[in-house]
PDB file of all heavy atoms in Angstrom:
ATOM      1  N   ARG A1123      54.256   2.912  42.929  1.00  0.00           N
ATOM      2  CA  ARG A1123      53.393   1.930  42.252  1.00  0.00           C
ATOM      3  C   ARG A1123      52.124   1.672  43.063  1.00  0.00           C
ATOM      4  O   ARG A1123      51.033   1.546  42.494  1.00  0.00           O
ATOM      5  CB  ARG A1123      54.153   0.635  42.012  1.00  0.00           C
ATOM      6  CG  ARG A1123      55.163   0.756  40.899  1.00  0.00           C
ATOM      7  CD  ARG A1123      55.834  -0.547  40.598  1.00  0.00           C
ATOM      8  NE  ARG A1123      56.786  -0.369  39.506  1.00  0.00           N
ATOM      9  CZ  ARG A1123      57.898  -1.060  39.381  1.00  0.00           C
ATOM     10  NH1 ARG A1123      58.210  -1.990  40.240  1.00  0.00           N
ATOM     11  NH2 ARG A1123      58.700  -0.831  38.357  1.00  0.00           N
ATOM     12  N   LEU A1124      52.260   1.588  44.368  1.00  0.00           N
ATOM     13  CA  LEU A1124      51.099   1.404  45.236  1.00  0.00           C
ATOM     14  C   LEU A1124      50.158   2.607  45.122  1.00  0.00           C
ATOM     15  O   LEU A1124      48.938   2.451  45.049  1.00  0.00           O
ATOM     16  CB  LEU A1124      51.550   1.199  46.680  1.00  0.00           C
ATOM     17  CG  LEU A1124      50.474   0.874  47.689  1.00  0.00           C
ATOM     18  CD1 LEU A1124      49.817  -0.457  47.360  1.00  0.00           C
ATOM     19  CD2 LEU A1124      51.065   0.836  49.092  1.00  0.00           C
ATOM     20  N   PHE A1125      50.728   3.801  45.079  1.00  0.00           N
ATOM     21  CA  PHE A1125      49.930   5.012  44.888  1.00  0.00           C
ATOM     22  C   PHE A1125      49.151   4.947  43.580  1.00  0.00           C
ATOM     23  O   PHE A1125      47.956   5.233  43.531  1.00  0.00           O
ATOM     24  CB  PHE A1125      50.841   6.241  44.915  1.00  0.00           C
ATOM     25  CG  PHE A1125      50.196   7.476  44.368  1.00  0.00           C
ATOM     26  CD1 PHE A1125      49.273   8.182  45.114  1.00  0.00           C
ATOM     27  CD2 PHE A1125      50.510   7.928  43.095  1.00  0.00           C
ATOM     28  CE1 PHE A1125      48.668   9.322  44.603  1.00  0.00           C
ATOM     29  CE2 PHE A1125      49.910   9.060  42.575  1.00  0.00           C
ATOM     30  CZ  PHE A1125      48.984   9.755  43.337  1.00  0.00           C
ATOM     31  N   LEU A1126      49.836   4.561  42.484  1.00  0.00           N
ATOM     32  CA  LEU A1126      49.176   4.502  41.184  1.00  0.00           C
ATOM     33  C   LEU A1126      48.041   3.479  41.165  1.00  0.00           C
ATOM     34  O   LEU A1126      47.008   3.706  40.540  1.00  0.00           O
ATOM     35  CB  LEU A1126      50.180   4.162  40.082  1.00  0.00           C
ATOM     36  CG  LEU A1126      51.215   5.232  39.755  1.00  0.00           C
ATOM     37  CD1 LEU A1126      52.167   4.726  38.680  1.00  0.00           C
ATOM     38  CD2 LEU A1126      50.566   6.532  39.336  1.00  0.00           C
ATOM     39  N   GLU A1127      48.224   2.374  41.860  1.00  0.00           N
ATOM     40  CA  GLU A1127      47.191   1.338  41.912  1.00  0.00           C
ATOM     41  C   GLU A1127      45.948   1.789  42.676  1.00  0.00           C
ATOM     42  O   GLU A1127      44.846   1.332  42.391  1.00  0.00           O
ATOM     43  CB  GLU A1127      47.742   0.077  42.580  1.00  0.00           C
ATOM     44  CG  GLU A1127      48.767  -0.661  41.749  1.00  0.00           C
ATOM     45  CD  GLU A1127      49.433  -1.792  42.532  1.00  0.00           C
ATOM     46  OE1 GLU A1127      48.961  -2.129  43.637  1.00  0.00           O
ATOM     47  OE2 GLU A1127      50.433  -2.331  42.028  1.00  0.00           O
ATOM     48  N   ASN A1128      46.133   2.706  43.637  1.00  0.00           N
ATOM     49  CA  ASN A1128      45.035   3.078  44.531  1.00  0.00           C
ATOM     50  C   ASN A1128      44.528   4.496  44.349  1.00  0.00           C
ATOM     51  O   ASN A1128      43.656   4.941  45.087  1.00  0.00           O
ATOM     52  CB  ASN A1128      45.471   2.875  45.987  1.00  0.00           C
ATOM     53  CG  ASN A1128      45.671   1.419  46.301  1.00  0.00           C
ATOM     54  OD1 ASN A1128      44.714   0.674  46.406  1.00  0.00           O
ATOM     55  ND2 ASN A1128      46.920   0.997  46.410  1.00  0.00           N
ATOM     56  N   SER A1129      45.068   5.205  43.386  1.00  0.00           N
ATOM     57  CA  SER A1129      44.689   6.598  43.188  1.00  0.00           C
ATOM     58  C   SER A1129      44.109   6.799  41.792  1.00  0.00           C
ATOM     59  O   SER A1129      44.518   6.150  40.841  1.00  0.00           O
ATOM     60  CB  SER A1129      45.911   7.500  43.353  1.00  0.00           C
ATOM     61  OG  SER A1129      45.601   8.827  42.999  1.00  0.00           O
ATOM     62  N   THR A1130      43.169   7.711  41.680  1.00  0.00           N
ATOM     63  CA  THR A1130      42.633   8.060  40.362  1.00  0.00           C
ATOM     64  C   THR A1130      43.345   9.273  39.772  1.00  0.00           C
ATOM     65  O   THR A1130      43.056   9.663  38.646  1.00  0.00           O
ATOM     66  CB  THR A1130      41.124   8.354  40.447  1.00  0.00           C
ATOM     67  OG1 THR A1130      40.919   9.465  41.319  1.00  0.00           O
ATOM     68  CG2 THR A1130      40.353   7.154  40.943  1.00  0.00           C
ATOM     69  N   GLU A1131      44.275   9.854  40.523  1.00  0.00           N
ATOM     70  CA  GLU A1131      44.960  11.062  40.050  1.00  0.00           C
ATOM     71  C   GLU A1131      45.707  10.795  38.748  1.00  0.00           C
ATOM     72  O   GLU A1131      45.586  11.554  37.787  1.00  0.00           O
ATOM     73  CB  GLU A1131      45.931  11.579  41.102  1.00  0.00           C
ATOM     74  CG  GLU A1131      46.677  12.825  40.650  1.00  0.00           C
ATOM     75  CD  GLU A1131      47.661  13.341  41.671  1.00  0.00           C
ATOM     76  OE1 GLU A1131      47.823  12.724  42.729  1.00  0.00           O
ATOM     77  OE2 GLU A1131      48.267  14.376  41.396  1.00  0.00           O
ATOM     78  N   HIS A1132      46.473   9.721  38.695  1.00  0.00           N
ATOM     79  CA  HIS A1132      47.255   9.425  37.499  1.00  0.00           C
ATOM     80  C   HIS A1132      46.323   9.173  36.310  1.00  0.00           C
ATOM     81  O   HIS A1132      46.559   9.680  35.211  1.00  0.00           O
ATOM     82  CB  HIS A1132      48.149   8.209  37.744  1.00  0.00           C
ATOM     83  CG  HIS A1132      49.025   7.856  36.582  1.00  0.00           C
ATOM     84  ND1 HIS A1132      50.127   8.609  36.242  1.00  0.00           N
ATOM     85  CD2 HIS A1132      48.960   6.867  35.680  1.00  0.00           C
ATOM     86  CE1 HIS A1132      50.703   8.085  35.178  1.00  0.00           C
ATOM     87  NE2 HIS A1132      50.014   7.030  34.815  1.00  0.00           N
ATOM     88  N   GLN A1133      45.268   8.415  36.515  1.00  0.00           N
ATOM     89  CA  GLN A1133      44.322   8.121  35.432  1.00  0.00           C
ATOM     90  C   GLN A1133      43.636   9.405  34.963  1.00  0.00           C
ATOM     91  O   GLN A1133      43.429   9.597  33.768  1.00  0.00           O
ATOM     92  CB  GLN A1133      43.283   7.097  35.880  1.00  0.00           C
ATOM     93  CG  GLN A1133      42.343   6.671  34.766  1.00  0.00           C
ATOM     94  CD  GLN A1133      43.060   5.992  33.617  1.00  0.00           C
ATOM     95  OE1 GLN A1133      43.947   5.189  33.826  1.00  0.00           O
ATOM     96  NE2 GLN A1133      42.680   6.322  32.389  1.00  0.00           N
ATOM     97  N   SER A1134      43.288  10.275  35.899  1.00  0.00           N
ATOM     98  CA  SER A1134      42.646  11.542  35.530  1.00  0.00           C
ATOM     99  C   SER A1134      43.576  12.398  34.677  1.00  0.00           C
ATOM    100  O   SER A1134      43.148  12.990  33.682  1.00  0.00           O
ATOM    101  CB  SER A1134      42.243  12.317  36.784  1.00  0.00           C
ATOM    102  OG  SER A1134      41.270  11.615  37.502  1.00  0.00           O
ATOM    103  N   MET A1135      44.836  12.459  35.055  1.00  0.00           N
ATOM    104  CA  MET A1135      45.804  13.233  34.279  1.00  0.00           C
ATOM    105  C   MET A1135      46.006  12.607  32.897  1.00  0.00           C
ATOM    106  O   MET A1135      46.063  13.309  31.889  1.00  0.00           O
ATOM    107  CB  MET A1135      47.146  13.315  35.021  1.00  0.00           C
ATOM    108  CG  MET A1135      47.095  14.173  36.257  1.00  0.00           C
ATOM    109  SD  MET A1135      46.676  15.891  35.900  1.00  0.00           S
ATOM    110  CE  MET A1135      48.087  16.406  34.972  1.00  0.00           C
ATOM    111  N   GLN A1136      46.095  11.291  32.838  1.00  0.00           N
ATOM    112  CA  GLN A1136      46.279  10.614  31.556  1.00  0.00           C
ATOM    113  C   GLN A1136      45.072  10.851  30.649  1.00  0.00           C
ATOM    114  O   GLN A1136      45.227  11.101  29.455  1.00  0.00           O
ATOM    115  CB  GLN A1136      46.498   9.123  31.774  1.00  0.00           C
ATOM    116  CG  GLN A1136      46.847   8.389  30.501  1.00  0.00           C
ATOM    117  CD  GLN A1136      47.239   6.947  30.769  1.00  0.00           C
ATOM    118  OE1 GLN A1136      47.374   6.511  31.906  1.00  0.00           O
ATOM    119  NE2 GLN A1136      47.438   6.200  29.711  1.00  0.00           N
ATOM    120  N   ASP A1137      43.868  10.781  31.194  1.00  0.00           N
ATOM    121  CA  ASP A1137      42.662  11.046  30.411  1.00  0.00           C
ATOM    122  C   ASP A1137      42.672  12.465  29.851  1.00  0.00           C
ATOM    123  O   ASP A1137      42.336  12.694  28.690  1.00  0.00           O
ATOM    124  CB  ASP A1137      41.404  10.841  31.256  1.00  0.00           C
ATOM    125  CG  ASP A1137      41.113   9.383  31.540  1.00  0.00           C
ATOM    126  OD1 ASP A1137      41.701   8.504  30.873  1.00  0.00           O
ATOM    127  OD2 ASP A1137      40.298   9.120  32.444  1.00  0.00           O
ATOM    128  N   PHE A1138      43.060  13.433  30.687  1.00  0.00           N
ATOM    129  CA  PHE A1138      43.127  14.817  30.229  1.00  0.00           C
ATOM    130  C   PHE A1138      44.133  14.963  29.089  1.00  0.00           C
ATOM    131  O   PHE A1138      43.839  15.583  28.059  1.00  0.00           O
ATOM    132  CB  PHE A1138      43.507  15.768  31.366  1.00  0.00           C
ATOM    133  CG  PHE A1138      43.758  17.170  30.896  1.00  0.00           C
ATOM    134  CD1 PHE A1138      42.690  18.010  30.622  1.00  0.00           C
ATOM    135  CD2 PHE A1138      45.042  17.638  30.710  1.00  0.00           C
ATOM    136  CE1 PHE A1138      42.908  19.306  30.162  1.00  0.00           C
ATOM    137  CE2 PHE A1138      45.272  18.928  30.254  1.00  0.00           C
ATOM    138  CZ  PHE A1138      44.198  19.758  29.976  1.00  0.00           C
ATOM    139  N   VAL A1139      45.320  14.372  29.264  1.00  0.00           N
ATOM    140  CA  VAL A1139      46.369  14.477  28.245  1.00  0.00           C
ATOM    141  C   VAL A1139      45.912  13.846  26.938  1.00  0.00           C
ATOM    142  O   VAL A1139      46.150  14.393  25.860  1.00  0.00           O
ATOM    143  CB  VAL A1139      47.681  13.830  28.757  1.00  0.00           C
ATOM    144  CG1 VAL A1139      48.681  13.652  27.636  1.00  0.00           C
ATOM    145  CG2 VAL A1139      48.280  14.673  29.874  1.00  0.00           C
ATOM    146  N   GLU A1140      45.241  12.711  27.013  1.00  0.00           N
ATOM    147  CA  GLU A1140      44.833  12.012  25.796  1.00  0.00           C
ATOM    148  C   GLU A1140      43.587  12.612  25.148  1.00  0.00           C
ATOM    149  O   GLU A1140      43.505  12.676  23.923  1.00  0.00           O
ATOM    150  CB  GLU A1140      44.590  10.537  26.107  1.00  0.00           C
ATOM    151  CG  GLU A1140      45.862   9.794  26.455  1.00  0.00           C
ATOM    152  CD  GLU A1140      45.602   8.368  26.911  1.00  0.00           C
ATOM    153  OE1 GLU A1140      44.427   7.953  27.018  1.00  0.00           O
ATOM    154  OE2 GLU A1140      46.606   7.655  27.171  1.00  0.00           O
ATOM    155  N   ARG A1141      42.626  13.060  25.939  1.00  0.00           N
ATOM    156  CA  ARG A1141      41.333  13.497  25.391  1.00  0.00           C
ATOM    157  C   ARG A1141      41.230  15.001  25.136  1.00  0.00           C
ATOM    158  O   ARG A1141      40.589  15.422  24.184  1.00  0.00           O
ATOM    159  CB  ARG A1141      40.201  13.102  26.340  1.00  0.00           C
ATOM    160  CG  ARG A1141      40.018  11.626  26.467  1.00  0.00           C
ATOM    161  CD  ARG A1141      38.886  11.315  27.395  1.00  0.00           C
ATOM    162  NE  ARG A1141      38.791   9.889  27.635  1.00  0.00           N
ATOM    163  CZ  ARG A1141      37.827   9.322  28.307  1.00  0.00           C
ATOM    164  NH1 ARG A1141      36.870  10.041  28.825  1.00  0.00           N
ATOM    165  NH2 ARG A1141      37.820   8.015  28.484  1.00  0.00           N
ATOM    166  N   HIS A1142      41.825  15.816  26.005  1.00  0.00           N
ATOM    167  CA  HIS A1142      41.594  17.256  25.927  1.00  0.00           C
ATOM    168  C   HIS A1142      42.821  18.063  25.497  1.00  0.00           C
ATOM    169  O   HIS A1142      42.681  19.058  24.788  1.00  0.00           O
ATOM    170  CB  HIS A1142      41.095  17.784  27.277  1.00  0.00           C
ATOM    171  CG  HIS A1142      39.841  17.127  27.729  1.00  0.00           C
ATOM    172  ND1 HIS A1142      38.620  17.365  27.152  1.00  0.00           N
ATOM    173  CD2 HIS A1142      39.619  16.211  28.705  1.00  0.00           C
ATOM    174  CE1 HIS A1142      37.692  16.635  27.746  1.00  0.00           C
ATOM    175  NE2 HIS A1142      38.274  15.913  28.695  1.00  0.00           N
ATOM    176  N   LEU A1143      43.991  17.651  25.931  1.00  0.00           N
ATOM    177  CA  LEU A1143      45.189  18.445  25.663  1.00  0.00           C
ATOM    178  C   LEU A1143      45.478  18.632  24.178  1.00  0.00           C
ATOM    179  O   LEU A1143      45.856  19.742  23.775  1.00  0.00           O
ATOM    180  CB  LEU A1143      46.395  17.843  26.389  1.00  0.00           C
ATOM    181  CG  LEU A1143      47.651  18.705  26.414  1.00  0.00           C
ATOM    182  CD1 LEU A1143      47.367  20.070  27.051  1.00  0.00           C
ATOM    183  CD2 LEU A1143      48.759  17.994  27.164  1.00  0.00           C
ATOM    184  N   PRO A1144      45.310  17.616  23.320  1.00  0.00           N
ATOM    185  CA  PRO A1144      45.581  17.854  21.888  1.00  0.00           C
ATOM    186  C   PRO A1144      44.749  19.003  21.303  1.00  0.00           C
ATOM    187  O   PRO A1144      45.264  19.815  20.533  1.00  0.00           O
ATOM    188  CB  PRO A1144      45.230  16.519  21.235  1.00  0.00           C
ATOM    189  CG  PRO A1144      45.473  15.509  22.310  1.00  0.00           C
ATOM    190  CD  PRO A1144      45.022  16.198  23.568  1.00  0.00           C
ATOM    191  N   ASP A1145      43.476  19.083  21.684  1.00  0.00           N
ATOM    192  CA  ASP A1145      42.636  20.179  21.190  1.00  0.00           C
ATOM    193  C   ASP A1145      43.066  21.522  21.760  1.00  0.00           C
ATOM    194  O   ASP A1145      43.037  22.538  21.061  1.00  0.00           O
ATOM    195  CB  ASP A1145      41.165  19.923  21.534  1.00  0.00           C
ATOM    196  CG  ASP A1145      40.592  18.740  20.767  1.00  0.00           C
ATOM    197  OD1 ASP A1145      41.108  18.429  19.673  1.00  0.00           O
ATOM    198  OD2 ASP A1145      39.625  18.129  21.267  1.00  0.00           O
ATOM    199  N   VAL A1146      43.467  21.537  23.020  1.00  0.00           N
ATOM    200  CA  VAL A1146      43.941  22.779  23.640  1.00  0.00           C
ATOM    201  C   VAL A1146      45.193  23.259  22.927  1.00  0.00           C
ATOM    202  O   VAL A1146      45.307  24.438  22.556  1.00  0.00           O
ATOM    203  CB  VAL A1146      44.212  22.576  25.150  1.00  0.00           C
ATOM    204  CG1 VAL A1146      44.907  23.781  25.741  1.00  0.00           C
ATOM    205  CG2 VAL A1146      42.923  22.281  25.897  1.00  0.00           C
ATOM    206  N   ILE A1147      46.132  22.362  22.711  1.00  0.00           N
ATOM    207  CA  ILE A1147      47.382  22.738  22.031  1.00  0.00           C
ATOM    208  C   ILE A1147      47.106  23.186  20.603  1.00  0.00           C
ATOM    209  O   ILE A1147      47.660  24.186  20.138  1.00  0.00           O
ATOM    210  CB  ILE A1147      48.383  21.569  22.071  1.00  0.00           C
ATOM    211  CG1 ILE A1147      48.843  21.350  23.507  1.00  0.00           C
ATOM    212  CG2 ILE A1147      49.566  21.833  21.151  1.00  0.00           C
ATOM    213  CD1 ILE A1147      49.704  20.123  23.714  1.00  0.00           C
ATOM    214  N   ALA A1148      46.237  22.474  19.908  1.00  0.00           N
ATOM    215  CA  ALA A1148      45.920  22.837  18.522  1.00  0.00           C
ATOM    216  C   ALA A1148      45.266  24.207  18.433  1.00  0.00           C
ATOM    217  O   ALA A1148      45.461  24.937  17.457  1.00  0.00           O
ATOM    218  CB  ALA A1148      45.012  21.785  17.903  1.00  0.00           C
ATOM    219  N   SER A1149      44.503  24.595  19.439  1.00  0.00           N
ATOM    220  CA  SER A1149      43.794  25.873  19.393  1.00  0.00           C
ATOM    221  C   SER A1149      44.671  27.065  19.755  1.00  0.00           C
ATOM    222  O   SER A1149      44.310  28.199  19.474  1.00  0.00           O
ATOM    223  CB  SER A1149      42.585  25.838  20.336  1.00  0.00           C
ATOM    224  OG  SER A1149      42.998  25.868  21.689  1.00  0.00           O
ATOM    225  N   ILE A1150      45.811  26.829  20.345  1.00  0.00           N
ATOM    226  CA  ILE A1150      46.671  27.928  20.798  1.00  0.00           C
ATOM    227  C   ILE A1150      47.115  28.802  19.632  1.00  0.00           C
ATOM    228  O   ILE A1150      47.140  30.017  19.726  1.00  0.00           O
ATOM    229  CB  ILE A1150      47.889  27.382  21.575  1.00  0.00           C
ATOM    230  CG1 ILE A1150      47.430  26.808  22.911  1.00  0.00           C
ATOM    231  CG2 ILE A1150      48.936  28.469  21.789  1.00  0.00           C
ATOM    232  CD1 ILE A1150      48.507  26.099  23.696  1.00  0.00           C
ATOM    233  N   GLY A1151      47.455  28.202  18.520  1.00  0.00           N
ATOM    234  CA  GLY A1151      47.981  28.973  17.408  1.00  0.00           C
ATOM    235  C   GLY A1151      46.974  29.311  16.339  1.00  0.00           C
ATOM    236  O   GLY A1151      47.363  29.754  15.257  1.00  0.00           O
ATOM    237  N   ASN A1152      45.694  29.160  16.585  1.00  0.00           N
ATOM    238  CA  ASN A1152      44.682  29.455  15.569  1.00  0.00           C
ATOM    239  C   ASN A1152      44.828  30.863  15.012  1.00  0.00           C
ATOM    240  O   ASN A1152      44.740  31.841  15.738  1.00  0.00           O
ATOM    241  CB  ASN A1152      43.270  29.289  16.139  1.00  0.00           C
ATOM    242  CG  ASN A1152      42.864  27.832  16.261  1.00  0.00           C
ATOM    243  OD1 ASN A1152      43.496  26.958  15.700  1.00  0.00           O
ATOM    244  ND2 ASN A1152      41.805  27.585  16.997  1.00  0.00           N
ATOM    245  N   GLY A1153      45.075  30.937  13.708  1.00  0.00           N
ATOM    246  CA  GLY A1153      45.154  32.233  13.038  1.00  0.00           C
ATOM    247  C   GLY A1153      46.440  32.999  13.264  1.00  0.00           C
ATOM    248  O   GLY A1153      46.552  34.145  12.848  1.00  0.00           O
ATOM    249  N   LYS A1154      47.424  32.402  13.899  1.00  0.00           N
ATOM    250  CA  LYS A1154      48.674  33.111  14.181  1.00  0.00           C
ATOM    251  C   LYS A1154      49.817  32.460  13.411  1.00  0.00           C
ATOM    252  O   LYS A1154      49.880  31.252  13.267  1.00  0.00           O
ATOM    253  CB  LYS A1154      48.983  33.072  15.676  1.00  0.00           C
ATOM    254  CG  LYS A1154      47.935  33.764  16.518  1.00  0.00           C
ATOM    255  CD  LYS A1154      48.280  33.695  17.985  1.00  0.00           C
ATOM    256  CE  LYS A1154      47.171  34.361  18.802  1.00  0.00           C
ATOM    257  NZ  LYS A1154      47.415  34.258  20.213  1.00  0.00           N
ATOM    258  N   SER A1155      50.723  33.303  12.931  1.00  0.00           N
ATOM    259  CA  SER A1155      51.875  32.772  12.206  1.00  0.00           C
ATOM    260  C   SER A1155      53.022  32.418  13.156  1.00  0.00           C
ATOM    261  O   SER A1155      53.873  31.601  12.830  1.00  0.00           O
ATOM    262  CB  SER A1155      52.356  33.775  11.158  1.00  0.00           C
ATOM    263  OG  SER A1155      52.725  34.984  11.788  1.00  0.00           O
ATOM    264  N   THR A1156      53.060  33.038  14.333  1.00  0.00           N
ATOM    265  CA  THR A1156      54.078  32.727  15.344  1.00  0.00           C
ATOM    266  C   THR A1156      53.426  32.681  16.717  1.00  0.00           C
ATOM    267  O   THR A1156      52.378  33.296  16.946  1.00  0.00           O
ATOM    268  CB  THR A1156      55.210  33.777  15.377  1.00  0.00           C
ATOM    269  OG1 THR A1156      54.651  35.043  15.721  1.00  0.00           O
ATOM    270  CG2 THR A1156      55.937  33.862  14.060  1.00  0.00           C
ATOM    271  N   ILE A1157      54.064  31.973  17.591  1.00  0.00           N
ATOM    272  CA  ILE A1157      53.590  31.882  18.979  1.00  0.00           C
ATOM    273  C   ILE A1157      54.771  32.186  19.888  1.00  0.00           C
ATOM    274  O   ILE A1157      55.827  31.577  19.765  1.00  0.00           O
ATOM    275  CB  ILE A1157      53.057  30.469  19.299  1.00  0.00           C
ATOM    276  CG1 ILE A1157      51.891  30.114  18.393  1.00  0.00           C
ATOM    277  CG2 ILE A1157      52.656  30.363  20.764  1.00  0.00           C
ATOM    278  CD1 ILE A1157      51.426  28.686  18.529  1.00  0.00           C
ATOM    279  N   ASN A1158      54.599  33.133  20.805  1.00  0.00           N
ATOM    280  CA  ASN A1158      55.621  33.453  21.796  1.00  0.00           C
ATOM    281  C   ASN A1158      55.272  32.733  23.088  1.00  0.00           C
ATOM    282  O   ASN A1158      54.132  32.755  23.539  1.00  0.00           O
ATOM    283  CB  ASN A1158      55.681  34.961  22.048  1.00  0.00           C
ATOM    284  CG  ASN A1158      56.094  35.711  20.807  1.00  0.00           C
ATOM    285  OD1 ASN A1158      56.967  35.269  20.075  1.00  0.00           O
ATOM    286  ND2 ASN A1158      55.450  36.834  20.561  1.00  0.00           N
ATOM    287  N   VAL A1159      56.280  32.090  23.685  1.00  0.00           N
ATOM    288  CA  VAL A1159      56.053  31.310  24.895  1.00  0.00           C
ATOM    289  C   VAL A1159      56.972  31.816  25.992  1.00  0.00           C
ATOM    290  O   VAL A1159      58.175  31.982  25.781  1.00  0.00           O
ATOM    291  CB  VAL A1159      56.323  29.808  24.642  1.00  0.00           C
ATOM    292  CG1 VAL A1159      56.174  29.010  25.924  1.00  0.00           C
ATOM    293  CG2 VAL A1159      55.414  29.277  23.554  1.00  0.00           C
ATOM    294  N   LEU A1160      56.422  32.041  27.151  1.00  0.00           N
ATOM    295  CA  LEU A1160      57.188  32.410  28.334  1.00  0.00           C
ATOM    296  C   LEU A1160      57.016  31.292  29.345  1.00  0.00           C
ATOM    297  O   LEU A1160      55.894  30.961  29.743  1.00  0.00           O
ATOM    298  CB  LEU A1160      56.682  33.728  28.929  1.00  0.00           C
ATOM    299  CG  LEU A1160      57.269  34.128  30.281  1.00  0.00           C
ATOM    300  CD1 LEU A1160      58.771  34.370  30.158  1.00  0.00           C
ATOM    301  CD2 LEU A1160      56.568  35.359  30.815  1.00  0.00           C
ATOM    302  N   SER A1161      58.116  30.684  29.744  1.00  0.00           N
ATOM    303  CA  SER A1161      58.067  29.599  30.723  1.00  0.00           C
ATOM    304  C   SER A1161      58.526  30.138  32.065  1.00  0.00           C
ATOM    305  O   SER A1161      59.638  30.638  32.194  1.00  0.00           O
ATOM    306  CB  SER A1161      58.969  28.444  30.275  1.00  0.00           C
ATOM    307  OG  SER A1161      59.012  27.452  31.266  1.00  0.00           O
ATOM    308  N   VAL A1162      57.668  30.045  33.047  1.00  0.00           N
ATOM    309  CA  VAL A1162      57.998  30.488  34.392  1.00  0.00           C
ATOM    310  C   VAL A1162      57.913  29.272  35.308  1.00  0.00           C
ATOM    311  O   VAL A1162      56.872  28.646  35.420  1.00  0.00           O
ATOM    312  CB  VAL A1162      57.032  31.585  34.883  1.00  0.00           C
ATOM    313  CG1 VAL A1162      57.364  31.991  36.306  1.00  0.00           C
ATOM    314  CG2 VAL A1162      57.073  32.781  33.946  1.00  0.00           C
ATOM    315  N   GLY A1163      59.015  28.947  35.932  1.00  0.00           N
ATOM    316  CA  GLY A1163      59.022  27.804  36.835  1.00  0.00           C
ATOM    317  C   GLY A1163      58.938  26.476  36.116  1.00  0.00           C
ATOM    318  O   GLY A1163      58.432  25.510  36.662  1.00  0.00           O
ATOM    319  N   GLY A1164      59.442  26.424  34.903  1.00  0.00           N
ATOM    320  CA  GLY A1164      59.354  25.196  34.123  1.00  0.00           C
ATOM    321  C   GLY A1164      60.499  24.226  34.368  1.00  0.00           C
ATOM    322  O   GLY A1164      60.564  23.192  33.731  1.00  0.00           O
ATOM    323  N   GLY A1165      61.377  24.547  35.299  1.00  0.00           N
ATOM    324  CA  GLY A1165      62.524  23.677  35.559  1.00  0.00           C
ATOM    325  C   GLY A1165      62.173  22.488  36.438  1.00  0.00           C
ATOM    326  O   GLY A1165      61.028  22.276  36.814  1.00  0.00           O
ATOM    327  N   ALA A1166      63.197  21.728  36.779  1.00  0.00           N
ATOM    328  CA  ALA A1166      63.019  20.518  37.571  1.00  0.00           C
ATOM    329  C   ALA A1166      63.022  20.790  39.068  1.00  0.00           C
ATOM    330  O   ALA A1166      62.946  19.872  39.869  1.00  0.00           O
ATOM    331  CB  ALA A1166      64.117  19.518  37.220  1.00  0.00           C
TER     332      ALA A1166
END
């Protein structure tokens, strides 16, 4: 919590997710009927 209060990292990530990520995700499938996804290192 102290980190979040004193860092802009969390706010920067939240701004990206809210402002830019929806357009990025929407553009991924432009003109395609299917999308293949490979996840590398997506675990916890």
Side-chain angles (χ1 to χ4, degrees):
R1123 286 184 179 149
L1124 185 64
F1125 164 77
L1126 291 178
E1127 290 172 11
N1128 293 288
S1129 172
T1130 61
E1131 179 181 2
H1132 182 73
Q1133 185 62 42
S1134 296
M1135 290 298 294
Q1136 186 172 353
D1137 287 345
F1138 173 79
V1139 168
E1140 292 174 357
R1141 294 181 186 186
H1142 302 288
L1143 191 57
D1145 292 334
V1146 171
I1147 292 173
S1149 72
I1150 290 173
N1152 283 346
K1154 298 180 182 177
S1155 60
T1156 62
I1157 300 173
N1158 296 320
V1159 176
L1160 172 64
S1161 175
V1162 178

